[in-house]
């Protein structure tokens, strides 16, 4: 069987939180800062509407719990806080309320580096993520997704994944395109990607943890195994599982919390 996703997994233990790790892009690295949100607005405010919009609920597993309530997404002490809370506000069939934001139609870019500093809880059923999707999908019908980082349940690990149009439409794609990195997700870490015309590389605190190379097989390319040459927008969300795949059923009486210190995007200097 041809392998359409080529990852190199390095299992390492994240550095202790007491050690300050400088994973920001150096000025001499050839990249320049094109977007940043330090989430320094006043306490209780919503994310900057110049860049972010609250995501609407959909039938997707991660988005089925989404609500627009301000108590689910807000700024506090220079951090973006995203929560999943027991649903006691309405009588819908959904047991949880979760919050999510994205830069769709407001900020999108093609190729570069993204870094986000974040921490989350370690509770069964937890499912936060920072990821990117194809800005042009509604026009082209082509699916493309790059998961900068995800956390599943009470696992002490970050997860890093990619979905081309081919893998999204191939039944067994979930068996091949996910990488795990041993990490205390309750501590602050910097998760990042470097995205170019030929590869996507994932990092945790500056350490490379996975790489996906553009296939050289023409048959795979014709089947859209590389759909990462268009602009992408950012998504930040706190969700919970529903019992399928690796997502355990959450505790519907517990609040889930993920904090984001900042997010930054860089592109190559011209």
């Amino acid at each position: 069987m041809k392998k359409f996703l080529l990852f190199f997994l390095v299992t390492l233990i994240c550095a202790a939180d007491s050690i300050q790790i400088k994973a920001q892009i150096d000025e001499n690295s050839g990249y320049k800062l094109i977007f940043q949100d330090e989430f320094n607005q006043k306490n209780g405010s919503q994310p900057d509407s110049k860049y972010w919009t609250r995501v609407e609920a959909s039938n997707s597993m991660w988005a089925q719990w989404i609500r627009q309530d301000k108590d689910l997404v807000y700024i506090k002490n220079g951090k973006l806080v995203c929560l999943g809370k027991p649903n006691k506000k309405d009588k819908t069939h959904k047991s949880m309320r979760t919050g999510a934001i994205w830069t769709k139609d407001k900020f999108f870019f093609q190729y570069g580096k993204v870094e986000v500093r974040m921490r989350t809880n370690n509770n069964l059923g937890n499912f936060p993520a920072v990821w990117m999707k194809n800005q042009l999908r509604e026009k082209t019908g082509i699916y493309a997704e790059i998961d900068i980082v995800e956390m599943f349940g009470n696992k002490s690990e970050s997860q890093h994944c990619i979905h081309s149009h081919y893998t999204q439409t191939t039944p067994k794609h979930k068996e091949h395109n996910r990488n795990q990195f041993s990490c205390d997700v309750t501590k602050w870490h910097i998760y990042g990607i470097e995205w170019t015309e030929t590869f996507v590389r994932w990092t945790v605190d500056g350490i490379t943890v996975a790489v996906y190379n553009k296939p050289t097989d023409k048959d795979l390319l014709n089947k859209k195994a590389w759909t990462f040459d268009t602009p992408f927008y950012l998504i930040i969300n706190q969700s919970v599982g529903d019992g399928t795949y690796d997502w355990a059923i959450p505790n519907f009486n517990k609040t889930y919390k993920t904090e984001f210190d900042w997010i930054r995007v860089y592109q190559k200097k011209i």
Side-chain angles (χ1 to χ4, degrees):
M1 179 184 296
K2 294 180 180 178
K3 295 183 178 179
F4 50 84
L5 290 175
L6 303 176
F7 280 104
F8 302 97
L9 177 62
V10 180
T11 303
L12 299 166
I13 303 300
C14 287
D17 192 54
S18 60
I19 300 175
Q20 185 177 1
I21 299 174
K22 296 181 179 179
Q24 290 93 336
I25 306 302
D26 186 89
E27 291 182 358
N28 299 319
S29 67
Y31 283 89
K32 64 178 181 179
L33 185 68
I34 64 166
F35 172 89
Q36 68 183 123
D37 199 334
E38 307 294 318
F39 304 119
N40 286 330
Q41 300 95 313
K42 67 179 182 179
N43 284 353
S45 63
Q46 289 292 289
D48 191 340
S49 60
K50 180 181 178 180
Y51 305 118
W52 303 99
T53 305
R54 294 290 294 271
V55 181
E56 297 287 341
S58 70
N59 292 328
S60 298
M61 195 288 292
W62 73 276
Q64 64 180 309
W65 322 92
I66 288 177
R67 296 289 187 275
Q68 303 303 305
D69 307 330
K70 291 184 178 181
D71 66 332
L72 299 175
V73 176
Y74 55 88
I75 305 298
K76 183 177 181 180
N77 298 330
K79 309 289 189 296
L80 171 68
V81 180
C82 293
L83 300 178
K85 288 186 171 183
N87 186 10
K88 298 179 181 179
K89 281 197 168 187
D90 58 58
K91 296 182 180 180
T92 68
H93 67 286
K94 299 298 182 182
S95 302
M96 296 290 290
R97 297 183 298 121
T98 63
I101 58 174
W102 58 20
T103 64
K104 184 179 181 182
D105 300 327
K106 292 188 173 184
F107 170 75
F108 40 90
F109 67 103
Q110 185 172 335
Y111 311 133
K113 291 188 178 184
V114 184
E115 289 187 330
V116 57
R117 187 172 187 259
M118 62 179 284
R119 66 180 179 183
T120 190
N121 61 77
N122 203 21
N123 298 324
L124 195 65
N126 188 35
F127 183 35
V130 181
W131 48 306
M132 306 175 358
K133 293 185 77 173
N134 177 14
Q135 171 70 24
L136 301 180
R137 187 190 178 193
E138 293 175 4
K139 293 181 179 180
T140 65
I142 302 299
Y143 192 90
E145 173 186 330
I146 301 173
D147 299 326
I148 300 170
V149 63
E150 301 172 290
M151 284 82 172
F152 289 170
N154 59 355
K155 297 180 179 180
S156 293
E157 63 186 26
S158 59
Q159 303 221 13
H160 312 276
C161 188
I162 197 166
H163 303 270
S164 67
H165 188 82
Y166 176 53
T167 61
Q168 188 67 15
T169 56
T170 302
K172 293 186 178 182
H173 81 277
K174 291 187 177 72
E175 298 176 6
H176 304 281
N177 67 345
R178 189 171 299 280
N179 288 267
Q180 297 80 34
F181 181 80
S182 297
C183 185
D184 183 354
V185 300
T186 68
K187 303 294 185 181
W188 289 107
H189 294 289
I190 298 172
Y191 304 95
I193 62 161
E194 181 179 17
W195 167 32
T196 76
E197 296 93 333
T198 57
F199 68 85
V200 177
R201 179 175 68 93
W202 288 260
T203 61
V204 178
D205 294 329
I207 300 169
T208 297
V209 298
V211 178
Y212 171 55
N213 292 304
K214 181 177 181 178
T216 57
D217 187 299
K218 291 184 179 180
D219 182 56
L220 289 175
L221 292 175
N222 289 335
K223 292 178 180 178
K224 298 182 176 60
W226 177 268
T227 47
F228 308 105
D229 293 322
T230 59
F232 278 55
Y233 58 88
L234 301 166
I235 307 170
I236 295 177
N237 72 276
Q238 169 69 66
S239 190
V240 292
D242 65 355
T244 61
Y245 192 41
D246 272 354
W247 300 287
I249 296 175
N251 184 336
F252 295 122
N253 295 310
K254 184 181 289 291
T255 293
Y256 293 78
K257 177 181 179 180
T258 302
E259 297 173 277
F260 305 87
D261 189 13
W262 47 257
I263 186 166
R264 300 167 185 163
V265 180
Y266 305 80
Q267 279 190 326
K268 284 282 188 181
K269 297 177 182 179
I270 299 175

